[in-house]
């Protein structure tokens, strides 16, 4: 079972007062307003979230739950409140943090055995910003080991019902990755919001399959220090929440950008439907997408069909060389900088999940990349060409499409398929390719990307709709997301 600071997560649901579900259904903005107005205490909300975490241990959403610490933070917040006083925008609201983002005094395992005893002395800057805004840090969420995967099927920290984090809407299915616990925790209303990290899919994908909104900002919009890395070129923290109002609020806190977001009328927005992203959709995904597009068209959004013929080749040239080459020097420097007490070799030797072990042993450590024609090429020259030429060429593929079609953003299904069963096969290369197909290119180009719920499939599973913008157009992407949520509405939470 995952470690907790004071208690073990219970696989058996515990009885809760009837009002608890109403409390945990509150969004961040709603909860902060009720606490600010004196209609709710931080202690009551934090206790309700902790009880719900206990009752949903089947999801294996947390590696560490800081029960005593969270309640102490909540009591301190309530004691410091003054009628009419200035409250932080997240005042008293519990937030969960992915277990590769430093929280002072709590384990930062990055989902891997070698780091299970590492406790950072300081919060990561993004956590400092959350605390300064009044947030209560409730614990550290589960993740794909070392963030190197999109299924969330991690064998290092199993739950009572087996390996991996489970989907908030169907506990037999994956929660996505690598920010699996953050997505499941928010989707299942274990916490009103969470932080994840996104290198190639890892905020938007778990947000999508758990019915939440997830935002990957342009790299550098949020401070990335104090986070276990994969690739400094691609890594970024990002928020997951159940409403676009919350995503905008969290972005303002994390970016230090308090400027109000101007609303966008649907009739003033042009969104591209590039065929690459819309091919080979599962029928259930297609049905949700067709309904969502019909509502957007009816509301006046201009949807533009287009081709991006250069995208597949340009993306293939960039993705793997970039993250595979940067992982070893970036992780080595991190382990030394933060005094973890373990080396890169120590981490590799103890990797538990077979898919992650294979990537490190077969590709990252030897520094090679097999090609489809059977060659094995050294990573360094491939990486150097990516940095010098090919990443700019990929970005230009996007800029050209936006320019030629007058686009405000690209629109596509976050995943072309529904989440698969939580089995080892979910971490196969074939599964990775299918799950990450649509979210990978924008990550490699460094685009801001936002996944919002589009609806529920006939099977009752959430389906996400992603908006990608050009580098630096974060606020425009957020404004489009707000508009889409206004048109499509929010989806129903899980039944349990």
């Amino acid at each position: 079972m995952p470690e907790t600071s004071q208690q073990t997560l219970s696989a058996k649901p515990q009885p809760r007062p009837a009002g608890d579900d109403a409390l945990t259904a509150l969004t961040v903005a709603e909860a902060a307003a009720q606490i600010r107005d004196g209609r709710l205490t931080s202690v009551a909300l934090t206790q309700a979230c902790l009880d719900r975490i206990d009752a949903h241990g089947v999801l294996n959403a947390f590696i560490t739950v800081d029960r005593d610490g969270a309640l102490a933070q909540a009591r301190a917040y309530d004691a410091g409140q003054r009628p009419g006083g200035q409250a932080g925008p997240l005042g008293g609201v519990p937030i969960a943090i992915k277990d590769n983002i430093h929280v002072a005094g709590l384990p930062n395992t990055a989902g891997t055995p070698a780091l299970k005893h590492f406790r950072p002395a300081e919060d990561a800057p993004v956590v400092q910003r959350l605390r300064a805004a009044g947030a209560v840090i409730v614990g550290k969420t589960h993740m794909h080991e070392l963030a190197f995967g999109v299924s969330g099927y991690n064998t290092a920290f199993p739950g009572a019902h087996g390996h991996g984090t489970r989907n908030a809407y169907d506990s037999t299915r994956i929660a996505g990755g690598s920010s699996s616990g953050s997505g499941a925790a928010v989707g299942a209303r274990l916490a009103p919001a969470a932080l994840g990290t996104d290198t190639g899919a890892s905020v938007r994908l778990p947000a999508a399959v758990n019915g939440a909104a997830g935002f990957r900002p342009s790299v550098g919009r949020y401070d990335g220090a104090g986070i276990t890395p994969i690739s400094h070129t691609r890594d970024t923290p990002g928020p997951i929440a159940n409403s676009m109002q919350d995503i905008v609020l969290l972005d303002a806190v994390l970016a230090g950008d308090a400027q109000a977001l101007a609303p966008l009328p649907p009739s003033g927005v042009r969104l591209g439907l590039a065929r690459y992203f819309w091919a080979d959709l599962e029928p259930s995904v297609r049905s949700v997408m067709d309904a969502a597009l019909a509502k957007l068209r009816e509301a006046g959004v201009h949807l533009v069909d287009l081709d991006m013929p250069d995208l597949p080749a340009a993306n293939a040239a960039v993705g793997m060389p970039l993250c595979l080459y940067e992982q070893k020097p970036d992780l080595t420097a991190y382990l030394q900088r933060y005094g973890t007490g373990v080396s890169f070799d120590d981490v590799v030797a103890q990797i538990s999940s077979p898919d992650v072990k294979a990537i490190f042993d077969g590709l990252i450590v030897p520094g090679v990349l097999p090609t489809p024609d059977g060659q094995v090429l050294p990573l360094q020259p491939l990486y150097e060409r990516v940095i010098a030429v090919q990443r700019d060429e990929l970005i230009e593929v996007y800029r050209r499409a936006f320019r030629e079609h007058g686009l405000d953003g690209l629109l596509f299904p976050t995943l072309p398929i529904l989440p698969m069963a939580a089995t080892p096969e979910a971490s196969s290369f074939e599964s990775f390719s299918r799950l990450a197909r649509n979210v990978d290119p924008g990550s490699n180009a460094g685009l801001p990307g936002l996944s919002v719920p589009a609806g529920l499939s006939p099977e009752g599973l959430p389906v996400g709709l992603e908006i990608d913008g050009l580098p630096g157009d974060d606020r425009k992407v957020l404004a489009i997301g707000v508009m889409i949520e206004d048109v499509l509405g929010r989806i129903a939470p899980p039944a349990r």
Side-chain angles (χ1 to χ4, degrees):
M1 286 294 290
E3 300 174 18
T4 67
S5 62
Q6 296 296 330
Q7 71 165 37
T8 302
L9 297 184
S10 172
K12 181 180 179 181
Q14 301 298 309
R16 302 191 311 275
D20 274 12
D21 285 344
L23 292 184
T24 56
L26 294 171
T27 67
V28 173
E30 291 166 347
Q34 290 197 21
I35 293 170
R36 184 168 56 249
D37 295 344
R39 292 177 286 149
L40 175 65
T41 65
S42 178
V43 166
L45 179 59
T46 301
Q47 184 68 63
C49 288
L50 291 168
D51 289 347
R52 192 165 174 84
I53 291 168
D54 290 345
H56 287 74
V58 66
L59 299 180
N60 198 20
F62 284 80
I63 292 179
T64 299
V65 175
D66 188 20
R67 171 175 285 275
D68 288 352
L71 289 171
Q73 294 170 64
R75 284 192 293 268
Y77 187 85
D78 289 338
Q81 284 287 83
R82 298 289 182 271
Q86 186 67 28
L90 308 178
V93 178
I95 292 182
I97 307 295
K98 185 179 180 179
D99 204 22
N100 62 346
I101 303 173
H102 292 186
V103 174
L106 296 185
N108 193 83
T109 73
T112 201
L115 291 172
K116 65 182 178 181
H117 299 303
F118 170 50
R119 294 176 181 253
E122 296 181 346
D123 290 334
V126 286
V127 175
Q128 294 174 17
R129 285 187 176 270
L130 294 177
R131 287 198 200 272
V136 170
I137 307 304
V138 75
K140 305 295 294 296
T141 54
H142 219 307
M143 56 183 287
H144 204 104
E145 190 165 358
L146 288 165
F148 247 100
V150 296
S151 70
Y153 193 85
N154 182 342
T155 64
F157 296 90
H161 295 266
H163 296 305
T165 309
R166 303 306 179 92
N167 191 283
Y169 283 73
D170 180 351
S171 62
T172 69
R173 297 182 185 242
I174 63 169
S178 63
S179 307
S180 55
S182 292
V186 173
R189 276 58 175 179
L190 312 186
L195 275 191
T197 61
D198 194 310
T199 302
S202 296
V203 163
R204 295 154 294 155
L205 196 156
V209 302
N210 289 285
F215 180 49
R216 172 197 166 86
S218 300
V219 174
R221 181 167 175 82
Y222 308 154
D223 194 323
I227 300 175
T228 315
I230 289 180
S231 161
H232 63 268
T233 302
R234 292 174 55 182
D235 292 347
T236 178
I240 298 175
N242 284 316
S243 78
M244 276 308 304
Q245 182 184 18
D246 288 353
I247 294 291
V248 171
L249 174 60
L250 289 162
D251 173 75
V253 168
L254 296 168
D257 186 352
Q259 182 181 356
L261 195 69
L264 283 178
S267 60
V269 177
R270 288 176 61 86
L271 299 177
L273 309 180
R275 289 180 177 84
Y276 170 88
F277 300 102
W278 291 86
D280 302 321
L281 303 185
E282 277 191 356
S284 292
V285 174
R286 172 65 70 183
S287 68
V288 175
M289 289 297 110
D290 287 346
L293 294 183
K295 290 180 181 179
L296 292 171
R297 285 193 180 96
E298 185 178 358
V301 177
H302 299 274
L303 299 177
V304 182
D305 293 320
L306 68 142
D307 282 318
M308 297 175 68
D310 298 332
L311 181 62
N315 182 58
V318 172
M320 294 298 280
L322 197 58
C323 67
L324 292 178
Y325 183 80
E326 290 186 343
Q327 168 68 116
K328 185 173 182 178
D330 286 3
L331 182 56
T332 299
Y334 163 86
L335 295 170
Q336 294 171 348
R337 177 182 178 184
Y338 292 103
T340 62
V342 297
S343 68
F344 177 82
D345 290 342
D346 294 333
V347 171
V348 174
Q350 297 181 53
I351 290 173
S352 173
S353 302
D355 61 314
V356 180
K357 183 70 169 170
I359 292 170
F360 275 78
D361 286 350
L363 304 175
I364 293 171
V365 172
V368 297
L369 182 65
T371 64
D373 61 4
Q375 297 183 70
V376 178
L377 302 178
L379 272 173
Q380 184 169 347
L382 297 175
Y383 170 75
E384 290 172 349
R385 179 164 173 76
V386 167
I387 294 298
V389 178
Q390 290 172 317
R391 190 162 186 263
D392 288 340
E393 291 176 345
L394 175 60
I395 295 171
E396 180 55 29
V397 170
Y398 280 94
R399 292 193 186 279
R400 185 164 60 248
F402 274 64
R403 185 170 58 246
E404 291 177 354
H405 297 277
L407 302 179
D408 296 297
L410 288 175
L411 190 68
F412 52 87
T414 312
L415 286 78
I417 62 174
L418 296 177
M420 62 269 293
T423 67
E425 288 70 34
S427 294
S428 69
F429 179 76
E430 292 74 19
S431 295
F432 177 94
S433 298
R434 296 181 74 200
L435 289 166
R437 186 195 76 184
N438 281 4
V439 290
D440 184 58
S443 310
N444 293 326
L447 310 183
L450 170 69
S451 180
V452 297
L456 293 173
S457 74
E459 298 85 352
L461 295 170
V463 175
L465 186 62
E466 178 155 343
I467 310 105
D468 276 3
L470 292 179
D473 281 352
D474 298 71
R475 289 174 60 80
K476 178 184 281 190
V477 168
L478 291 171
I480 294 170
V482 171
M483 179 273 294
I484 289 177
E485 183 182 83
D486 287 344
V487 172
L488 301 183
R490 292 171 54 197
I491 66 172
R496 60 186 184 281

